[in-house]
Amino acid sequence: MYRLLDRITRGLASADELAELESLAAMVRDTSLCGLGQGSPNPVFSTLRYFRDEYMAHIDDHVCPAGVCKMEPREAAVAAGEGAR
Amino acid sequence: MSVLTLTIEGRDVAGQTGGTILQVARENGIAIPTLCHLQGLSDVGACRLCVVEVEGQRKLLPACVTAIDEGMKVTVNSERLTAYRRRIVELLFTERNHVCSVCVADRNCELQDLAVELGLTHFDLPLLSPQASVDATHERFGIDHNRCVLCTRCVRVCDEIEGAHTWDVMGRGTEARLITDMGIPWGDSNTCTSCGKCVQVCPTGALFEKGRSVAEARRRRPYLPYLVAHEGRTR
Amino acid sequence: MADKTIVIEPVTRIEGHAKITIQLNESGEVADAHFHVTQFRGFERISQGRMVHEMPSLMARICGICPVSHMVASAKACDEILGVTVPPVGVRLRRVLNLAQIVQSHALSFFYLSSPDLLLGFDSDPALRNLVGVARQTPELARDGVALRRFGQRIIERLGGKRIHPAWVVPGGVSRPLEASERDSILAEIPDARERAHRTLDWYKKNVASWTDEVAHFGDFPSLYMGLVHEGGNAAYSDGLLRVVDSSGWVMADGVDPRAYGDYLGETVEPWSYLKSTYFKPLGYPAGIYRVGPLARLNVAERLGTPAADAELAEYRERLGRYPSSSFHYHYARLIEIVHCIDVIDHILSRSDILDPHVRARAEINRNEGVGVSEAPRGVLIHHYKVDDDGLVEWANLVIATGHNNLAMNRSVLQTARHYIKGDQVKEGMLNRVEAVIRCYDPCLSCSTHAVGQMPLQVDIRDAEGSLLRQVSR
Amino acid sequence: MLVVASGNTLRGDDAVGPEVGELLNVRLAGTGASVIVSDQLLPELADDASRARLVVFVDAAADRPVGSVTVRPVAPRRPQDDAAGAGATGGPGAVRSLDPFSHGMGPEDLLALTRDLYSATPDAVLVSVGAESFEPGAELSGAVRLAVPRAVEAVLHAIEKGTGSVSIPHA
């Protein structure tokens, strides 16, 4: 999850990877043994609930609306997308 | 001790008070995949493969450590459960370096079998490819951390059956490693009795007998008659 | 006029991928030519930290064409680390497997890859110059090729349980004895294979006169030759000691224990290839150029050791001299070897003790270093490992047939290019010859590329004054 | 009766051949029809093809609509086909229409080998599945995955039509 989030914040991720993040987070929440594990994806869920548009901006528009994330150049994103699988 | 009735996969079944969902399901021929469970050892619910849906429960429950209850309605197989189980096995594969083609346990491996059963044909997640080591300091056995899934069967068999408690787990998350004694090389361990039970219970090729080549692991489980890995599976 | 560089990429009909660069000078003559290997694997690095018992199977993954030869060389290195003597039947079964490998690989090289040039002509229409074209013109030849390759493949499948990556050869021997039914089915196929091998050889001998020009310019130069021989001078394939002779028959080294290979073979890495080039140390670089593989094996051995193949060998030497020096003759040598290998397989499997269940010796780690050598279809293959006291690999070095031949291949490419390419009007048939000379060596490139991070690939294009016109690197 | 399903399982949609082949292996068990799954068409297969009455090739095709399943009869390649496509120049850039190790051997070539080598001319059909991507990867794209069952049925249909005698247990 950290890796996927990291890629999103750097503007390297695709929409597929966001779906991947959501499914992974659900799986971790539902199958973890202890409360810490079950709660660990909560930040992902809550940010997705309230700021999905910002996620999408990182992915689709290659910008960070809050101006926090340092985005990799677009070419890097394209190259990373090709190399991701 | 009284008898409780419940339904698993829509079938009416019965079990003793204190029995687990896994026990009752298997007594009734209903398969639930497991990895860390080994009958005869205590259950720790660590691998999460046996999670099932219980009606009225929001959370998924591990069948190996969930006691049955009167009127319980249990779903063992659903699309969601299968997808989660597949993802769990995928995570196990991608966390370390599992290369079946050169593994001593090839074609004799519970992780490999699970991947086949669950239809894991490829990885969506990136491989972490850690630099894990092999400890071959023991005279007869070795441990390849690349192939360890941290099921802790070895830890439990060593503690509960052999009474040596040579094995334990150190570290957290992806850093977790099996250790012998206080993290010294296996060959230097004072507590290890070289009984080999840990090698026999290992579901993968992580623990192996030295001198065996690819696909030559032999689990002589009858050697441990009080342990049964999976009903219907002879290993 | 600026210099012109011709690049042929990829070279077709060899195993793996490679690139050739030809440099022309101002008058349009070939000034230089290089054969590049751009593929990269890192098996020497991958094996570090692994248990020695995994090595034969791990190393077999280097190549899908000659996995068996890698397994045999690797297992022999492991035998030495274990300090064991492999039971005689285990040794023989490994031999059978390696010989079967040579038959199938030679069949692939000769029939599938080279026969189109030989049969249809180097200048024939490239669209027709392939196995289908061969099949149309001489179906019998193509049928023999298919059958001989299958013959070899089936033996590997029967013994190893799998065609491409059998896990049968293990440190100390082989993992499972031969069964009577397996032996019988292999023996039953031998007469047919033998007949086909002889028929192909006869066809080749009948036609050899038509390739005189190619024979003279396909890497015809004096060099050293290296191969394994048994005591007494018979050609060896899985066992034996190294011998090096020169083109006039001087024995430069003999009875060399493979363990001492480092005293005889030096290695250089050229900037233009991932492929290590080896040279014969006593003569230095680049004078110590030598060749391995079928041509070299027939040159270093006194005889093969089976009557029919030795009769062919005598005729070969009568036609070409005792030490043929043109790489074109790799084809001829290859066909004689097919005949020989089939006869040796027959001989070994006909022994009464071949079903003996003692095929494996077991031991702990008794030495920290081991060297194993075998003859791969393409030539001498050396595996050298160092392990710690627990049997974990600390270091590995592989010296591979295509590496041995690298200098010779480059010289051959240059010779062929100089002869056939003049001016900038380059015909396809001429370029095809430049490729074809490489195919003589049947190089297997995937296995001969080396350790991580060692050499970046760089292509330099230089003019007559030596100044760099263009540089491509990755 | 022979099914030759070819494709590289590590090359995206190229894996559709092997995928269909594996399914057919199950469906055709016990019917006397055999299924060969192979990375590519190799000359050795001519030997197998020569013993069959009908050969059904299954392969991914780049030049068909993605996810489509097309069945067409195939005939051995004829010399004039080559001559037409060869181009008489043969310059340095001349393309070889066929090379067994550049994945260039097609069903027509294999049938030509079968005919020329073994004087056998089995009936042959090609079931091609329109593919989207041949990039490295072990996953079929969605449309191609959906086409798998149709391709299986197409092969079974071709076999039934070809013999009228083999009864295939429908799963």
Side-chain angles (χ1 to χ4, degrees), chain D residues 18-40:
Chain D
E19 179 93 19
V20 170
E22 296 301 340
L23 290 169
L24 285 167
N25 236 331
V26 179
R27 294 287 291 274
L28 291 171
T31 61
S34 53
V35 181
I36 296 177
V37 175
S38 173
D39 266 20
Q40 47 183 292

PDB file of all heavy atoms in Angstrom, chain D residues 18-40:
ATOM      1  N   PRO D  18      -2.168 -21.231 -25.757  1.00  0.00           N
ATOM      2  CA  PRO D  18      -1.972 -22.191 -24.673  1.00  0.00           C
ATOM      3  C   PRO D  18      -3.180 -22.291 -23.742  1.00  0.00           C
ATOM      4  O   PRO D  18      -3.545 -23.377 -23.297  1.00  0.00           O
ATOM      5  CB  PRO D  18      -0.759 -21.635 -23.932  1.00  0.00           C
ATOM      6  CG  PRO D  18       0.010 -20.887 -24.966  1.00  0.00           C
ATOM      7  CD  PRO D  18      -1.011 -20.334 -25.917  1.00  0.00           C
ATOM      8  N   GLU D  19      -3.795 -21.165 -23.466  1.00  0.00           N
ATOM      9  CA  GLU D  19      -4.957 -21.156 -22.573  1.00  0.00           C
ATOM     10  C   GLU D  19      -6.082 -22.034 -23.134  1.00  0.00           C
ATOM     11  O   GLU D  19      -6.633 -22.896 -22.459  1.00  0.00           O
ATOM     12  CB  GLU D  19      -5.439 -19.702 -22.409  1.00  0.00           C
ATOM     13  CG  GLU D  19      -6.652 -19.526 -21.532  1.00  0.00           C
ATOM     14  CD  GLU D  19      -6.278 -19.238 -20.084  1.00  0.00           C
ATOM     15  OE1 GLU D  19      -5.127 -18.830 -19.851  1.00  0.00           O
ATOM     16  OE2 GLU D  19      -7.138 -19.442 -19.218  1.00  0.00           O
ATOM     17  N   VAL D  20      -6.382 -21.815 -24.393  1.00  0.00           N
ATOM     18  CA  VAL D  20      -7.412 -22.612 -25.053  1.00  0.00           C
ATOM     19  C   VAL D  20      -6.969 -24.072 -25.115  1.00  0.00           C
ATOM     20  O   VAL D  20      -7.751 -24.995 -24.890  1.00  0.00           O
ATOM     21  CB  VAL D  20      -7.696 -22.047 -26.469  1.00  0.00           C
ATOM     22  CG1 VAL D  20      -8.589 -22.988 -27.263  1.00  0.00           C
ATOM     23  CG2 VAL D  20      -8.328 -20.670 -26.361  1.00  0.00           C
ATOM     24  N   GLY D  21      -5.685 -24.275 -25.384  1.00  0.00           N
ATOM     25  CA  GLY D  21      -5.140 -25.632 -25.469  1.00  0.00           C
ATOM     26  C   GLY D  21      -5.335 -26.408 -24.184  1.00  0.00           C
ATOM     27  O   GLY D  21      -5.752 -27.563 -24.190  1.00  0.00           O
ATOM     28  N   GLU D  22      -5.040 -25.741 -23.057  1.00  0.00           N
ATOM     29  CA  GLU D  22      -5.176 -26.433 -21.771  1.00  0.00           C
ATOM     30  C   GLU D  22      -6.633 -26.831 -21.524  1.00  0.00           C
ATOM     31  O   GLU D  22      -6.917 -27.922 -21.044  1.00  0.00           O
ATOM     32  CB  GLU D  22      -4.694 -25.551 -20.616  1.00  0.00           C
ATOM     33  CG  GLU D  22      -3.200 -25.207 -20.651  1.00  0.00           C
ATOM     34  CD  GLU D  22      -2.291 -26.434 -20.612  1.00  0.00           C
ATOM     35  OE1 GLU D  22      -2.758 -27.510 -20.190  1.00  0.00           O
ATOM     36  OE2 GLU D  22      -1.127 -26.322 -21.027  1.00  0.00           O
ATOM     37  N   LEU D  23      -7.541 -25.943 -21.848  1.00  0.00           N
ATOM     38  CA  LEU D  23      -8.960 -26.259 -21.665  1.00  0.00           C
ATOM     39  C   LEU D  23      -9.372 -27.431 -22.559  1.00  0.00           C
ATOM     40  O   LEU D  23     -10.109 -28.321 -22.147  1.00  0.00           O
ATOM     41  CB  LEU D  23      -9.829 -25.032 -21.966  1.00  0.00           C
ATOM     42  CG  LEU D  23      -9.711 -23.896 -20.940  1.00  0.00           C
ATOM     43  CD1 LEU D  23     -10.389 -22.638 -21.450  1.00  0.00           C
ATOM     44  CD2 LEU D  23     -10.340 -24.330 -19.612  1.00  0.00           C
ATOM     45  N   LEU D  24      -8.854 -27.399 -23.792  1.00  0.00           N
ATOM     46  CA  LEU D  24      -9.205 -28.475 -24.724  1.00  0.00           C
ATOM     47  C   LEU D  24      -8.645 -29.808 -24.264  1.00  0.00           C
ATOM     48  O   LEU D  24      -9.235 -30.860 -24.480  1.00  0.00           O
ATOM     49  CB  LEU D  24      -8.689 -28.131 -26.116  1.00  0.00           C
ATOM     50  CG  LEU D  24      -9.501 -27.065 -26.854  1.00  0.00           C
ATOM     51  CD1 LEU D  24      -8.742 -26.568 -28.066  1.00  0.00           C
ATOM     52  CD2 LEU D  24     -10.866 -27.616 -27.266  1.00  0.00           C
ATOM     53  N   ASN D  25      -7.484 -29.750 -23.630  1.00  0.00           N
ATOM     54  CA  ASN D  25      -6.889 -30.969 -23.115  1.00  0.00           C
ATOM     55  C   ASN D  25      -7.860 -31.697 -22.211  1.00  0.00           C
ATOM     56  O   ASN D  25      -7.980 -32.924 -22.243  1.00  0.00           O
ATOM     57  CB  ASN D  25      -5.632 -30.594 -22.306  1.00  0.00           C
ATOM     58  CG  ASN D  25      -4.418 -31.314 -22.822  1.00  0.00           C
ATOM     59  OD1 ASN D  25      -4.532 -32.421 -23.364  1.00  0.00           O
ATOM     60  ND2 ASN D  25      -3.271 -30.694 -22.679  1.00  0.00           N
ATOM     61  N   VAL D  26      -8.569 -30.901 -21.392  1.00  0.00           N
ATOM     62  CA  VAL D  26      -9.548 -31.481 -20.481  1.00  0.00           C
ATOM     63  C   VAL D  26     -10.773 -31.953 -21.267  1.00  0.00           C
ATOM     64  O   VAL D  26     -11.237 -33.082 -21.115  1.00  0.00           O
ATOM     65  CB  VAL D  26      -9.960 -30.427 -19.427  1.00  0.00           C
ATOM     66  CG1 VAL D  26     -11.010 -30.998 -18.484  1.00  0.00           C
ATOM     67  CG2 VAL D  26      -8.729 -29.959 -18.654  1.00  0.00           C
ATOM     68  N   ARG D  27     -11.266 -31.074 -22.128  1.00  0.00           N
ATOM     69  CA  ARG D  27     -12.499 -31.386 -22.855  1.00  0.00           C
ATOM     70  C   ARG D  27     -12.331 -32.577 -23.798  1.00  0.00           C
ATOM     71  O   ARG D  27     -13.272 -33.325 -24.047  1.00  0.00           O
ATOM     72  CB  ARG D  27     -12.950 -30.168 -23.660  1.00  0.00           C
ATOM     73  CG  ARG D  27     -13.380 -28.973 -22.808  1.00  0.00           C
ATOM     74  CD  ARG D  27     -14.723 -29.189 -22.131  1.00  0.00           C
ATOM     75  NE  ARG D  27     -15.844 -29.211 -23.062  1.00  0.00           N
ATOM     76  CZ  ARG D  27     -16.473 -28.144 -23.480  1.00  0.00           C
ATOM     77  NH1 ARG D  27     -16.092 -26.952 -23.050  1.00  0.00           N
ATOM     78  NH2 ARG D  27     -17.490 -28.244 -24.311  1.00  0.00           N
ATOM     79  N   LEU D  28     -11.147 -32.728 -24.332  1.00  0.00           N
ATOM     80  CA  LEU D  28     -10.959 -33.761 -25.346  1.00  0.00           C
ATOM     81  C   LEU D  28     -10.387 -35.053 -24.776  1.00  0.00           C
ATOM     82  O   LEU D  28     -10.111 -35.998 -25.519  1.00  0.00           O
ATOM     83  CB  LEU D  28     -10.041 -33.242 -26.455  1.00  0.00           C
ATOM     84  CG  LEU D  28     -10.641 -32.138 -27.337  1.00  0.00           C
ATOM     85  CD1 LEU D  28      -9.593 -31.560 -28.251  1.00  0.00           C
ATOM     86  CD2 LEU D  28     -11.807 -32.684 -28.158  1.00  0.00           C
ATOM     87  N   ALA D  29     -10.177 -35.077 -23.450  1.00  0.00           N
ATOM     88  CA  ALA D  29      -9.609 -36.282 -22.847  1.00  0.00           C
ATOM     89  C   ALA D  29     -10.465 -37.493 -23.192  1.00  0.00           C
ATOM     90  O   ALA D  29     -11.679 -37.452 -23.065  1.00  0.00           O
ATOM     91  CB  ALA D  29      -9.504 -36.096 -21.329  1.00  0.00           C
ATOM     92  N   GLY D  30      -9.815 -38.528 -23.644  1.00  0.00           N
ATOM     93  CA  GLY D  30     -10.524 -39.771 -23.922  1.00  0.00           C
ATOM     94  C   GLY D  30     -11.221 -39.827 -25.270  1.00  0.00           C
ATOM     95  O   GLY D  30     -11.824 -40.837 -25.618  1.00  0.00           O
ATOM     96  N   THR D  31     -11.136 -38.769 -26.064  1.00  0.00           N
ATOM     97  CA  THR D  31     -11.803 -38.798 -27.358  1.00  0.00           C
ATOM     98  C   THR D  31     -10.881 -39.264 -28.471  1.00  0.00           C
ATOM     99  O   THR D  31     -11.297 -39.427 -29.607  1.00  0.00           O
ATOM    100  CB  THR D  31     -12.308 -37.396 -27.761  1.00  0.00           C
ATOM    101  OG1 THR D  31     -11.170 -36.531 -27.863  1.00  0.00           O
ATOM    102  CG2 THR D  31     -13.269 -36.832 -26.747  1.00  0.00           C
ATOM    103  N   GLY D  32      -9.607 -39.431 -28.140  1.00  0.00           N
ATOM    104  CA  GLY D  32      -8.663 -39.846 -29.173  1.00  0.00           C
ATOM    105  C   GLY D  32      -8.025 -38.676 -29.880  1.00  0.00           C
ATOM    106  O   GLY D  32      -7.075 -38.843 -30.632  1.00  0.00           O
ATOM    107  N   ALA D  33      -8.550 -37.488 -29.657  1.00  0.00           N
ATOM    108  CA  ALA D  33      -7.919 -36.306 -30.224  1.00  0.00           C
ATOM    109  C   ALA D  33      -6.793 -35.873 -29.295  1.00  0.00           C
ATOM    110  O   ALA D  33      -6.913 -36.007 -28.089  1.00  0.00           O
ATOM    111  CB  ALA D  33      -8.931 -35.179 -30.362  1.00  0.00           C
ATOM    112  N   SER D  34      -5.700 -35.403 -29.863  1.00  0.00           N
ATOM    113  CA  SER D  34      -4.625 -34.975 -28.974  1.00  0.00           C
ATOM    114  C   SER D  34      -4.381 -33.480 -29.130  1.00  0.00           C
ATOM    115  O   SER D  34      -4.643 -32.890 -30.167  1.00  0.00           O
ATOM    116  CB  SER D  34      -3.351 -35.771 -29.247  1.00  0.00           C
ATOM    117  OG  SER D  34      -3.025 -35.715 -30.608  1.00  0.00           O
ATOM    118  N   VAL D  35      -3.896 -32.913 -28.043  1.00  0.00           N
ATOM    119  CA  VAL D  35      -3.655 -31.467 -28.006  1.00  0.00           C
ATOM    120  C   VAL D  35      -2.179 -31.241 -27.732  1.00  0.00           C
ATOM    121  O   VAL D  35      -1.627 -31.813 -26.797  1.00  0.00           O
ATOM    122  CB  VAL D  35      -4.482 -30.802 -26.881  1.00  0.00           C
ATOM    123  CG1 VAL D  35      -4.247 -29.292 -26.873  1.00  0.00           C
ATOM    124  CG2 VAL D  35      -5.954 -31.124 -27.036  1.00  0.00           C
ATOM    125  N   ILE D  36      -1.548 -30.459 -28.570  1.00  0.00           N
ATOM    126  CA  ILE D  36      -0.153 -30.092 -28.319  1.00  0.00           C
ATOM    127  C   ILE D  36      -0.116 -28.596 -28.058  1.00  0.00           C
ATOM    128  O   ILE D  36      -0.584 -27.799 -28.864  1.00  0.00           O
ATOM    129  CB  ILE D  36       0.749 -30.439 -29.519  1.00  0.00           C
ATOM    130  CG1 ILE D  36       0.770 -31.953 -29.732  1.00  0.00           C
ATOM    131  CG2 ILE D  36       2.160 -29.903 -29.303  1.00  0.00           C
ATOM    132  CD1 ILE D  36       1.571 -32.395 -30.931  1.00  0.00           C
ATOM    133  N   VAL D  37       0.416 -28.245 -26.890  1.00  0.00           N
ATOM    134  CA  VAL D  37       0.575 -26.831 -26.558  1.00  0.00           C
ATOM    135  C   VAL D  37       2.048 -26.494 -26.718  1.00  0.00           C
ATOM    136  O   VAL D  37       2.909 -27.191 -26.197  1.00  0.00           O
ATOM    137  CB  VAL D  37       0.115 -26.549 -25.112  1.00  0.00           C
ATOM    138  CG1 VAL D  37       0.395 -25.102 -24.737  1.00  0.00           C
ATOM    139  CG2 VAL D  37      -1.359 -26.859 -24.964  1.00  0.00           C
ATOM    140  N   SER D  38       2.318 -25.463 -27.476  1.00  0.00           N
ATOM    141  CA  SER D  38       3.711 -25.183 -27.796  1.00  0.00           C
ATOM    142  C   SER D  38       3.933 -23.674 -27.864  1.00  0.00           C
ATOM    143  O   SER D  38       3.045 -22.920 -28.238  1.00  0.00           O
ATOM    144  CB  SER D  38       4.038 -25.835 -29.142  1.00  0.00           C
ATOM    145  OG  SER D  38       5.323 -25.461 -29.565  1.00  0.00           O
ATOM    146  N   ASP D  39       5.133 -23.246 -27.472  1.00  0.00           N
ATOM    147  CA  ASP D  39       5.462 -21.822 -27.535  1.00  0.00           C
ATOM    148  C   ASP D  39       5.329 -21.289 -28.947  1.00  0.00           C
ATOM    149  O   ASP D  39       4.881 -20.186 -29.179  1.00  0.00           O
ATOM    150  CB  ASP D  39       6.906 -21.592 -27.087  1.00  0.00           C
ATOM    151  CG  ASP D  39       6.966 -21.248 -25.613  1.00  0.00           C
ATOM    152  OD1 ASP D  39       5.988 -21.560 -24.930  1.00  0.00           O
ATOM    153  OD2 ASP D  39       7.974 -20.673 -25.182  1.00  0.00           O
ATOM    154  N   GLN D  40       5.819 -22.084 -29.873  1.00  0.00           N
ATOM    155  CA  GLN D  40       5.776 -21.677 -31.269  1.00  0.00           C
ATOM    156  C   GLN D  40       5.669 -22.931 -32.118  1.00  0.00           C
ATOM    157  O   GLN D  40       5.838 -24.037 -31.627  1.00  0.00           O
ATOM    158  CB  GLN D  40       7.022 -20.892 -31.630  1.00  0.00           C
ATOM    159  CG  GLN D  40       8.302 -21.562 -31.139  1.00  0.00           C
ATOM    160  CD  GLN D  40       9.533 -20.728 -31.433  1.00  0.00           C
ATOM    161  OE1 GLN D  40       9.904 -20.558 -32.563  1.00  0.00           O
ATOM    162  NE2 GLN D  40      10.166 -20.220 -30.389  1.00  0.00           N
TER     163      GLN D  40
END
